Amino acid sequence: MIAEIITIGDEILIGQIVDTNSAWIAQELNLIGIKIKQISSVSDDEQHIIKSIEEAKSRANLILITGGLGPTKDDLTKNTLCKYFNVSLKFDARAYKDVERLFKSRGREVTEINRKQAELPENCKPIYNAVGTAPGMWFEQEGKIIVSMPGVPHEMKEMMKNDVLKRLPNYFDAPVILHKTILTQGVGESFLSEMISNWEDELPNHIKLAYLPAPGVVRLRLSATGTDKSILTKEVDDLVIKLKEIAGKYIYGYDEDSLEKLVGELLLKRKQTLSLAESCSGGYISHLITSIPGSSAYYKGSIVAYDYEVKTKELGVKKETLEKHGAVSEKTVIEMAEGVKEKLNTDYSVACSGIAGPGGGTPDKPVGTVWIAVSMPGKTITKKFQLGDNRERVIRETSLHALNMLRKEMMKEF
Amino acid sequence: MIAEIITIGDEILIGQIVDTNSAWIAQELNLIGIKIKQISSVSDDEQHIIKSIEEAKSRANLILITGGLGPTKDDLTKNTLCKYFNVSLKFDARAYKDVERLFKSRGREVTEINRKQAELPENCKPIYNAVGTAPGMWFEQEGKIIVSMPGVPHEMKEMMKNDVLKRLPNYFDAPVILHKTILTQGVGESFLSEMISNWEDELPNHIKLAYLPAPGVVRLRLSATGTDKSILTKEVDDLVIKLKEIAGKYIYGYDEDSLEKLVGELLLKRKQTLSLAESCSGGYISHLITSIPGSSAYYKGSIVAYDYEVKTKELGVKKETLEKHGAVSEKTVIEMAEGVKEKLNTDYSVACSGIAGPGGGTPDKPVGTVWIAVSMPGKTITKKFQLGDNRERVIRETSLHALNMLRKEMMKEF
C-alpha cells in the first residue's frame, strides 16, 4: 500500500507552524509496512485542496489529510470534502458529546461554532475525537481511502492510534518490516559514522541504516524488510550485537527509550531518590525528569542556583571555592552535588555548572565549558565538557550528558 | 517570485525527523514577498531528487533544497547536483577552514570524511557555513535559482540569514508585504475567534488573518499586501488598536515577543530580581526564564519542590497547611512564593502547585487543577486554573500562565 500525506493550512506555507504531523504519520505508517510516496503542504484554498487530493489519488491508494478542521473561518477542509464528494453535512450526536465533555473539563460552555464541529459529511465514517472538538473522517471511494484529521498533533495522534492504524491492516497484505532504533549519546554523527563504517558497509541490501541526529543524541535506525519475521529479528539482533562491540560505550538505549525514562525506571526499581543542583542547565534537567509521569516517586527536587549567593547559601558551596576556582569548576560542582544530596536527603544527585553563552566566556573557560558531577552513596564523580557556542544546545547537551552520566553510574552499581 | 522547498532525506519519509526547516524558510521568504507554491519531501534517492528538482523548476523560479549534505553514506545531495548540472567537485580552501575551526572548538581532529565536505560542485557559488561543516551551494541556470543547504536547522538558518535572504531581493521586484503577529495567552482559539468575529469579518480583502495556535498560546497574524508601506502600516496599526479594545486582556505581546523575554526585559530595566518555587511545572518555568541570554542578571534561581519535605524544609511551607489544605491549594502556593522570595532574597517570586497527571487526581481536585501565586513587595496574588488532562500541556500552560501573571502584575506597578 502506498500513501501520501497532505497537510492543509496557509500557516505552513506562509508561516511559523512547524509540520510535526507528517513525520509522525510517516513513521507510524512505515512501521506497519506502508510506504510514503510524497508529503505535500498545500494552502487553505478549496481548489488547491481538491487538486492535491486528485493528484495524490493518482499515485497512492491511501491519502491522509491533516489540518483545516478547526472552528474558525480559515478552516475549509470539511466543507471542501463535502464539495469533493458532493454530499451534505449531518449532525452527529456522539461527536457533539465529545465537544461537550471537553468544554466541561475546562469549565466552559459549548459555543455555537463549536457545535458546528459535530456536523460531518454524510458519506464518512466518523473518527471520534477523545481529546479535542473536531472529529476526523474516513472516506472510501473507488478503492481508495481518504482520511481527514485535525492538525492539532495530540488529537491527530489519538485518532491514528485508536482508529486509523487499527483499521488499515484490513486493507492490504503487509510485508514484514522490522525497525530497531539504537540510541547513542556523547558522540557526533561524523565520528560515529567513521567508527562504524565497516559494519555499515557489510549491511545486507534488505537492511537499511538511517542516521537520525537530534541535539546531543544520534539515533541509528535499522529497517529490515522481508517475509519472515523471526529471520529478520535474528538478523537485526546480530547486527545490534556487533554494533555494541564497536560503539557500545555510546549506546544508552533502544527505540522509544529516553535518558530521563531509563534513569527514572532504575530509580523506581531500586526505590532510590534523586535531587539536582542546576546552574547552566537552568532547570532543564528537572524538566526532563518531571516530564515522566510518576516521577514524584523518586524525584525530590532541584535547586536551580543561577546566582552565586544561591550556590553558597542554599547548596553550601564554599565562598573560597567560588573565589579560587570560579563557579564553573570541578570543585564547585562537587560541592553543589554533595550539598543538594545532603540537603534534600536523596541517594543520588546531579549538579552542573557551565557557560551557556553567548556571553560570559573567557580564554580559560570559553563559552560551552561545562562541569558535571554525579554524587551517590560514598562517592562523587565529575566530568568536563566543551559543548560549543549555541546556548540552546549547551543547555540541552549538558542535560543529556548529566542524565547519561547518572545512568552509567547506576548501571555500574549492579 | 515563486519558490518551492524540497526537503531531502529518507528520515522524513520513513522516520522520526520533524521537518522544522520548511516552515521556517516559508516564513522568511514570505516576509520578503516570495510565495511558496509547494513544499515537498523526497527520499535520499538520486532519481527522485533529480525529478523533484525538474518538477519544481517547471512551477517556480526559486528552489530551496535542504538536507542530504551530511558526511555519511546516505547523504547524496551534493553528488546528485553534480550529476544534474554535469560538473565535477572542486576542493574549496575556505570551506575547509570552516570545517577545521568547528572541529577545533570541540577539541577534535578533522576526519577524512569531513575533509570531503569542503569539496563543492565547480559551477556553484559557495555559501559558507559559520556553524557547521557542510557548505551550502547557490546555482543559477536558465533564469532559475537553485540553492542547496544542510538539513541541520541552525546551519541552514545561518546561511539563509547571512547569505540567501540578502542575495534574493536583487532578483525580483518585491511587493510590499507587512506582517503583524499578535500574541495572546489565557484564551482558546474558539473563544478568541468568537470574541473577535465581527472584527475579523470587517478585514479588507488585502489583509488576511491566520490563527497560529500552540500549547497555551494563540498567535494571530495579520498579513497585508499592497504597494505603499506607510498606508499598509497605518491600516494594520488601526486594526491592532481595534483588536486591543476587544481582546486586550489576552494580548501580551507582538511578533517575536515571548513571555519569558518580556518578563526578563521588565526585570532588567527595573533592576529587580526573580525567584521561583515550582512544583507541577517541574523546572519548566526556570528553563523558559534561563533560555533568555543574560537572564543571570535578574534571575536568582528556582527551588523545584516535587516532594512534601522539600516544600516544608526548603520553602518553609507549614506542615499544617499541607495537612489541612493539601499541596495543591491556595495557601500552599502563597507560602511557597513567599518562602522562596524571602530565602533567595528577590523582589518577585512565582510559585505553582498542581496535578499534572495522568495520576493523582481526586473528585475535588481533578488532574489539571493548578494554583499559581505571584509574590511581590508588599503582596501576593493567586489564581486557580483547570488545564485539562494532558501532562505535557499542563506543564507548559502552567508555566505560561505563571509568566503572564507575573508580567501583568509588573505592568500594573508602573
Side-chain angles (χ1 to χ4, degrees):
Chain A
M1 180 172 266
I2 302 289
E4 293 216 0
I5 300 170
I6 299 172
T7 303
I8 294 175
D10 285 343
E11 64 267 31
I12 289 176
L13 290 178
I14 61 171
Q16 277 156 304
I17 289 292
V18 170
D19 174 23
T20 54
N21 290 339
S22 295
W24 188 88
I25 294 172
Q27 186 191 23
E28 293 297 319
L29 292 184
N30 200 240
L31 285 171
I32 60 168
I34 297 175
K35 285 208 169 169
I36 310 293
K37 183 87 176 168
Q38 190 170 313
I39 299 171
S40 318
S41 287
V42 306
S43 61
D44 274 321
D45 172 278
E46 196 179 273
Q47 287 314 308
H48 200 169
I49 295 170
I50 289 177
K51 188 155 178 285
S52 70
I53 293 172
E54 275 167 356
E55 279 179 4
K57 265 180 79 180
S58 75
R59 295 177 295 241
N61 31 23
L62 167 65
I63 297 140
L64 295 166
I65 303 168
T66 63
L69 295 182
T72 60
K73 287 167 189 155
D74 57 353
D75 291 301
L76 303 172
T77 306
K78 198 162 65 181
N79 288 319
T80 303
L81 287 167
C82 279
K83 200 160 192 174
Y84 179 71
F85 290 115
N86 196 24
V87 296
S88 309
L89 287 170
K90 199 173 76 178
F91 181 77
D92 187 290
R94 185 170 155 199
Y96 185 69
K97 279 233 163 68
D98 287 335
V99 175
E100 255 188 345
R101 198 192 54 244
L102 193 97
F103 276 71
K104 212 171 268 176
S105 84
R106 300 199 147 228
R108 290 167 172 181
E109 293 293 315
V110 178
T111 61
E112 179 53 28
I113 61 169
N114 287 101
R115 192 186 184 279
K116 284 199 182 133
Q117 295 199 280
E119 293 175 359
L120 289 170
E122 52 192 358
N123 66 329
C124 83
K125 290 188 209 165
I127 304 172
Y128 294 106
N129 191 336
V131 292
T133 53
M137 296 159 263
W138 174 290
F139 302 91
E140 291 178 30
Q141 194 195 40
E142 299 154 14
K144 310 269 177 173
I145 300 166
I146 298 176
V147 179
S148 166
M149 293 174 290
V152 180
H154 78 280
E155 297 182 21
M156 178 279 292
K157 286 177 189 175
E158 287 293 316
M159 286 187 190
M160 286 291 288
K161 284 190 274 192
N162 299 332
D163 194 317
V164 179
L165 290 168
K166 286 179 183 163
R167 286 196 212 183
L168 284 173
N170 305 322
Y171 288 81
F172 69 110
D173 285 326
V176 178
I177 301 189
L178 213 82
H179 299 270
K180 183 88 186 171
T181 306
I182 301 107
L183 309 169
T184 74
Q185 194 274 335
V187 61
E189 187 181 351
S190 343
F191 284 89
L192 186 62
S193 165
E194 199 128 341
M195 189 184 294
I196 66 173
S197 177
N198 292 336
W199 174 85
E200 190 178 345
D201 286 339
E202 283 164 18
L203 289 177
N205 261 334
H206 65 289
I207 301 184
K208 303 283 180 206
L209 177 72
Y211 285 80
L212 311 172
V217 163
V218 176
R219 295 174 296 168
L220 298 172
R221 192 187 48 223
L222 290 170
S223 300
T225 310
T227 50
D228 186 317
K229 193 175 174 183
S230 61
I231 293 175
L232 286 182
T233 306
K234 174 87 173 63
E235 283 183 309
V236 169
D237 286 351
D238 287 349
L239 283 167
V240 171
I241 289 169
K242 272 189 205 152
L243 184 67
K244 275 173 88 171
E245 284 164 14
I246 307 164
K249 65 185 271 205
Y250 299 113
I251 297 172
Y252 67 85
Y254 302 92
D255 302 322
E256 299 305 312
D257 285 345
S258 70
L259 284 164
E260 53 272 27
K261 198 175 122 196
L262 292 169
V263 162
E265 284 167 1
L266 285 169
L267 288 164
L268 195 65
K269 204 164 71 186
R270 298 175 190 177
K271 296 190 171 49
Q272 290 179 315
T273 54
L274 173 68
S275 60
L276 307 171
E278 301 185 62
S279 184
C280 67
S281 59
Y284 193 67
I285 309 177
S286 182
H287 169 58
L288 292 177
I289 293 277
T290 58
S291 69
I292 305 297
S295 44
S296 59
Y298 49 81
Y299 177 58
K300 286 205 176 179
S302 174
I303 292 179
V304 182
Y306 231 54
D307 190 68
Y308 262 55
E309 213 179 81
V310 180
K311 287 188 181 80
T312 54
K313 276 170 86 173
E314 303 308 318
L315 293 169
V317 175
K318 293 184 198 114
K319 281 220 170 87
E320 310 90 81
T321 305
L322 291 175
E323 277 158 18
K324 201 172 154 195
H325 303 275
V328 180
S329 67
E330 181 170 27
K331 202 139 175 20
T332 298
V333 283
I334 290 174
E335 291 181 8
M336 286 170 71
E338 292 179 351
V340 80
K341 192 178 73 174
E342 201 189 313
K343 203 164 196 197
L344 268 52
N345 188 26
T346 56
D347 300 298
Y348 287 87
S349 70
V350 174
C352 65
S353 186
I355 302 148
T362 63
D364 265 18
K365 293 174 186 172
V367 169
T369 306
V370 174
W371 275 99
I372 298 175
V374 172
S375 189
M376 60 211 92
K379 73 170 174 179
T380 301
I381 58 146
T382 62
K383 205 168 166 190
K384 187 188 179 183
F385 299 89
Q386 292 299 337
L387 302 175
D389 58 4
N390 176 289
R391 183 178 182 87
E392 201 185 319
R393 285 180 73 105
V394 171
I395 292 171
R396 184 161 166 83
E397 291 191 21
T398 296
S399 304
L400 296 176
H401 277 299
L403 289 173
N404 208 9
M405 276 175 70
L406 172 61
R407 186 193 64 87
K408 283 183 179 173
E409 284 305 314
M410 291 196 74
M411 299 296 284
K412 271 187 208 160
E413 306 270 293
F414 280 74
Chain B
M1 179 171 265
I2 301 290
E4 293 216 0
I5 300 171
I6 299 171
T7 303
I8 294 175
D10 285 344
E11 65 268 31
I12 289 175
L13 289 177
I14 61 171
Q16 276 156 305
I17 290 292
V18 171
D19 174 23
T20 55
N21 290 339
S22 296
W24 187 88
I25 293 172
Q27 186 189 24
E28 293 296 321
L29 293 184
N30 200 240
L31 285 173
I32 60 168
I34 297 175
K35 285 208 170 169
I36 309 292
K37 182 87 174 168
Q38 190 170 315
I39 299 172
S40 319
S41 288
V42 307
S43 61
D44 275 319
D45 172 277
E46 197 178 273
Q47 287 315 308
H48 200 168
I49 296 169
I50 288 176
K51 188 154 178 287
S52 69
I53 294 172
E54 276 166 356
E55 280 180 4
K57 265 180 78 181
S58 75
R59 293 178 296 240
N61 31 24
L62 168 64
I63 296 140
L64 294 165
I65 303 168
T66 62
L69 295 182
T72 59
K73 286 166 190 155
D74 57 354
D75 292 302
L76 301 172
T77 306
K78 198 162 65 180
N79 288 320
T80 302
L81 286 168
C82 279
K83 200 160 192 173
Y84 179 70
F85 291 113
N86 195 23
V87 296
S88 309
L89 287 171
K90 198 173 77 179
F91 180 78
D92 186 290
R94 183 165 157 203
Y96 185 68
K97 279 230 162 70
D98 286 336
V99 175
E100 253 187 345
R101 198 193 54 244
L102 192 98
F103 276 71
K104 213 170 266 175
S105 85
R106 300 198 150 230
R108 289 168 171 179
E109 294 292 316
V110 179
T111 61
E112 180 53 28
I113 60 169
N114 287 100
R115 192 184 183 281
K116 282 199 182 132
Q117 293 199 281
E119 292 175 359
L120 290 170
E122 50 193 359
N123 67 329
C124 84
K125 289 188 210 166
I127 304 173
Y128 294 105
N129 191 336
V131 292
T133 53
M137 295 160 264
W138 174 291
F139 302 92
E140 292 178 30
Q141 195 196 40
E142 300 154 14
K144 310 269 178 173
I145 300 167
I146 298 175
V147 179
S148 166
M149 292 175 290
V152 181
H154 77 281
E155 298 182 21
M156 178 280 292
K157 287 177 189 174
E158 287 293 316
M159 288 186 189
M160 286 291 288
K161 284 189 276 193
N162 299 332
D163 194 317
V164 179
L165 290 169
K166 286 179 185 164
R167 286 195 212 184
L168 283 173
N170 305 322
Y171 288 81
F172 69 110
D173 285 326
V176 178
I177 301 188
L178 212 81
H179 299 271
K180 183 89 185 171
T181 306
I182 301 107
L183 309 169
T184 74
Q185 194 273 337
V187 60
E189 187 181 353
S190 344
F191 285 89
L192 187 61
S193 164
E194 199 129 341
M195 189 184 297
I196 66 173
S197 177
N198 292 334
W199 173 86
E200 190 177 346
D201 285 339
E202 284 164 16
L203 289 176
N205 261 331
H206 65 289
I207 302 184
K208 303 281 181 207
L209 177 71
Y211 285 80
L212 311 171
V217 163
V218 176
R219 294 175 297 168
L220 299 173
R221 191 186 48 222
L222 290 169
S223 300
T225 310
T227 50
D228 186 316
K229 193 175 176 184
S230 61
I231 294 175
L232 286 182
T233 306
K234 174 88 173 63
E235 283 184 307
V236 169
D237 286 351
D238 287 348
L239 284 167
V240 171
I241 289 169
K242 273 190 206 151
L243 185 67
K244 275 172 89 171
E245 284 164 15
I246 307 164
K249 64 184 272 203
Y250 299 113
I251 297 171
Y252 66 86
Y254 301 93
D255 301 322
E256 298 305 311
D257 285 345
S258 69
L259 284 164
E260 54 271 29
K261 199 176 122 196
L262 292 169
V263 162
E265 284 167 2
L266 285 170
L267 289 165
L268 195 65
K269 205 164 70 185
R270 299 176 190 177
K271 294 190 171 51
Q272 290 179 316
T273 53
L274 173 68
S275 60
L276 307 171
E278 301 184 64
S279 184
C280 67
S281 60
Y284 192 67
I285 308 177
S286 182
H287 170 59
L288 291 177
I289 293 278
T290 57
S291 69
I292 304 297
S295 45
S296 58
Y298 49 81
Y299 177 58
K300 286 205 175 178
S302 175
I303 292 179
V304 182
Y306 232 53
D307 190 69
Y308 262 55
E309 213 180 82
V310 180
K311 287 188 182 79
T312 54
K313 276 170 86 175
E314 304 306 320
L315 293 169
V317 175
K318 294 187 197 108
K319 282 220 170 88
E320 309 91 82
T321 305
L322 291 175
E323 277 158 17
K324 201 171 154 197
H325 303 275
V328 180
S329 67
E330 181 171 25
K331 202 138 177 18
T332 298
V333 283
I334 290 174
E335 292 180 9
M336 286 171 72
E338 293 179 351
V340 81
K341 193 177 71 174
E342 200 189 314
K343 202 165 198 198
L344 267 53
N345 188 27
T346 55
D347 301 298
Y348 286 87
S349 70
V350 174
C352 66
S353 186
I355 301 147
T362 63
D364 264 18
K365 294 173 186 173
V367 169
T369 306
V370 174
W371 274 99
I372 298 176
V374 172
S375 189
M376 61 212 90
K379 74 171 175 179
T380 301
I381 58 147
T382 60
K383 206 170 165 188
K384 187 187 178 184
F385 299 88
Q386 292 298 337
L387 302 175
D389 58 4
N390 176 289
R391 184 178 180 87
E392 202 185 319
R393 285 179 73 104
V394 171
I395 292 171
R396 183 158 168 84
E397 292 192 19
T398 296
S399 304
L400 296 175
H401 277 299
L403 290 173
N404 208 11
M405 276 175 69
L406 171 61
R407 186 193 65 87
K408 284 182 178 174
E409 285 305 313
M410 291 195 75
M411 300 295 285
K412 271 187 207 161
E413 307 270 294
F414 281 73

